[in-house]
Amino acid sequence: MLDIKITRTTTPKAKPEKGAPLGFGKIFTDHMFVMDYTEGLGWHDPRVVPFHNLSISPACMVFHYGQEMFEGLKAYVGVDGKIYMFRPDMNAKRTNKTNRRLCIPELPEEDFVQAIQAVVTVDKDWIPADPGTSLYIRPFIIATDEYLGVKPSDTYKFMVILSPSGAYYASGINPVGIWIEDEYVRAVKGGMGFAKTGGNYACSLAGQVKAHDDGYSQVLWLDGVERKYIEEVGAMNIFFKIDGKIVTPELSGSILPGVTRDSVINLCKSWGMEVEERRISIDEVAEAHKNGKLEEVFGTGTAAVISPVGKLRWKDDVMVINNDKIGEVSQKIYDTVTGIQLGKLEDKFGWRFLVCEK
Ligand code: COI
């Protein structure tokens, strides 16, 4: 159990007006959580402090070799007025999977959750309550040794910042267009594709720029070896409904094990739907589209929640899915996931985590 010191700001910022458009990840609250790691001492000095700019050496290792990790989760005002998060234990577990891959010291899972709970509680009045909004939580760790040799750092900072946010995509729950990338790849097995680390996102940018230039919102990545099997979208996992069945790429080591992905698989199975986690090729998707069997495509992610895909661009072809409209299953999943998050629906799986009473 962490002994967290809390220092409150004496100059609180103006909060966004109710109903004001928030965008995603643009506004930050009054406080942040910080904890340091020193080799030999472990994680120490957990504290909630006013949100501030960092003053660190330009020689810090994170700036040179990218030894860093991050997570993403959300807090909501439930229909009972209390504050909840969704499955923070999953983010805590994934943090340590990422840390092991990047030689970052592990964080006890309960400390990760306690740290977030502490800062969210201090800034609970920042949590927006308009439909489709939430408090996006960004925990992250950076390597802070001042050293230009390539090795794991001996010192780190774990921080948590908070951003009242609306939908990740400007289009909200309306279908997005996705560009299937055939030049660049995101990850290979044995690499760090499963880890939540900035490098995976940095290497996705060149593809994303191409996609944006062509009017598409995101990139769908194919496997890095055969460029044939579907992996994930930049900020989401991907699901297909083909001939009544739900199909999603298996966790092969090169895709992110999404919390929303896992929740959607569990929900669909609980509804008696057939769910297959397996390799799925772009040719199979194109064939299913040609035969009228590609019924729905949707992405899942913490930031994006459920994002229907209306168009898939593959080389010179554009597959239009479900007339570019949200499908029945995508809508049902969206309503159920957000319904559980907000406490409108029964939480059969025990996914909601009480942060604090309002
Ligand atoms: C999330 O869904 O929380 C993510 O981390 C995706 C992100 C890159 C916005």
Side-chain angles (χ1 to χ4, degrees):
M1 179 96 178
L2 297 173
D3 183 14
I4 303 174
K5 185 169 172 235
I6 295 177
T7 309
R8 287 174 189 270
T9 182
T10 52
T11 52
K13 295 179 281 200
K15 298 182 181 64
E17 303 276 320
K18 193 172 161 20
L22 299 172
F24 175 83
K26 294 181 177 165
I27 301 166
F28 299 96
T29 65
D30 279 328
H31 298 88
M32 62 195 281
F33 175 88
V34 186
M35 179 160 70
D36 299 300
Y37 179 91
T38 310
E39 187 66 24
L41 206 60
W43 289 105
H44 59 91
D45 289 319
R47 55 209 186 265
V48 172
V49 290
F51 187 94
H52 62 279
N53 291 343
L54 301 178
S55 171
I56 53 175
S57 164
C60 276
M61 292 179 78
V62 63
F63 297 131
H64 305 279
Y65 308 120
Q67 197 193 8
E68 73 89 46
M69 65 78 56
F70 73 95
E71 269 296 330
L73 59 166
K74 286 178 174 173
Y76 317 83
V77 182
V79 286
D80 56 5
K82 298 179 185 177
I83 310 300
Y84 294 94
M85 295 194 286
F86 188 69
R87 310 186 74 186
D89 54 308
M90 294 278 285
N91 300 88
K93 285 195 181 72
R94 191 170 62 187
T95 289
N96 283 332
K97 279 195 193 128
T98 299
N99 288 8
R100 285 193 285 276
R101 181 64 181 82
L102 281 132
C103 298
I104 295 172
E106 292 186 35
L107 253 175
E109 285 172 29
E110 56 286 4
D111 292 357
F112 174 92
V113 175
Q114 192 197 340
I116 294 171
Q117 190 169 10
V119 66
V120 171
T121 302
V122 169
D123 275 341
K124 65 182 183 197
D125 293 340
W126 280 86
I127 306 178
D130 292 328
T133 64
S134 60
L135 185 73
Y136 186 75
I137 303 167
R138 172 51 60 85
F140 63 111
I141 301 175
I142 57 169
T144 51
D145 273 11
E146 297 172 27
Y147 181 56
L148 297 184
V150 179
K151 71 159 192 76
S153 181
D154 287 332
T155 59
Y156 298 85
K157 260 186 198 306
F158 169 49
M159 289 170 275
V160 183
I161 57 173
L162 309 171
S163 176
S165 290
Y168 185 68
Y169 296 111
S171 58
I173 180 82
N174 294 319
V176 291
I178 302 271
W179 166 288
I180 304 174
E181 177 56 41
D182 56 4
E183 181 187 0
Y184 303 119
V185 298
R186 173 186 174 275
V188 288
K189 287 187 185 45
M192 56 183 196
F194 68 89
K196 206 137 175 77
T197 182
N200 284 332
Y201 296 80
C203 94
S204 75
L205 296 176
Q208 187 174 311
V209 168
K210 269 179 21 185
H212 280 181
D213 288 350
D214 231 55
Y216 290 84
S217 306
Q218 283 275 331
V219 172
L220 176 61
W221 298 100
L222 299 180
D223 77 276
V225 178
E226 295 178 68
R227 313 236 177 148
K228 182 172 169 186
Y229 295 101
I230 286 170
E231 299 246 302
E232 66 169 56
V233 178
M236 311 188 286
N237 293 113
I238 189 97
F239 284 75
F240 301 90
K241 180 164 171 263
I242 300 177
D243 205 14
K245 277 188 211 158
I246 300 292
V247 184
T248 193
E250 64 193 350
L251 297 180
S252 56
S254 52
I255 69 169
L256 192 82
V259 176
T260 314
R261 174 188 182 278
D262 181 81
S263 310
V264 167
I265 292 172
N266 278 293
L267 277 178
C268 289
K269 285 184 178 166
S270 77
W271 295 332
M273 297 185 78
E274 221 176 303
V275 181
E276 294 178 351
E277 290 179 73
R278 61 168 170 85
R279 294 217 293 186
I280 174 163
S281 68
I282 180 60
D283 296 334
E284 178 181 342
V285 171
E287 187 65 19
H289 182 259
K290 204 168 93 197
N291 299 335
K293 293 191 171 164
L294 182 62
E295 294 156 353
E296 295 184 36
V297 181
F298 56 93
T300 65
T302 296
V305 196
I306 306 298
S307 182
V309 176
K311 283 191 206 118
L312 277 176
R313 175 261 180 211
W314 170 233
K315 297 193 191 281
D316 294 330
D317 284 341
V318 178
M319 300 175 232
V320 177
I321 298 126
N322 196 36
N323 292 320
D324 203 10
K325 300 262 173 338
I326 183 165
E328 217 176 286
V329 172
S330 314
Q331 183 73 58
K332 182 174 173 187
I333 295 172
Y334 178 84
D335 292 342
T336 309
V337 170
T338 55
I340 294 173
Q341 287 168 340
L342 298 174
K344 288 182 186 160
L345 297 177
E346 191 195 341
D347 179 22
K348 286 189 198 140
F349 296 93
W351 285 338
R352 278 201 307 155
F353 176 93
L354 178 67
V355 177
C356 60
E357 311 278 333
K358 187 69 174 152

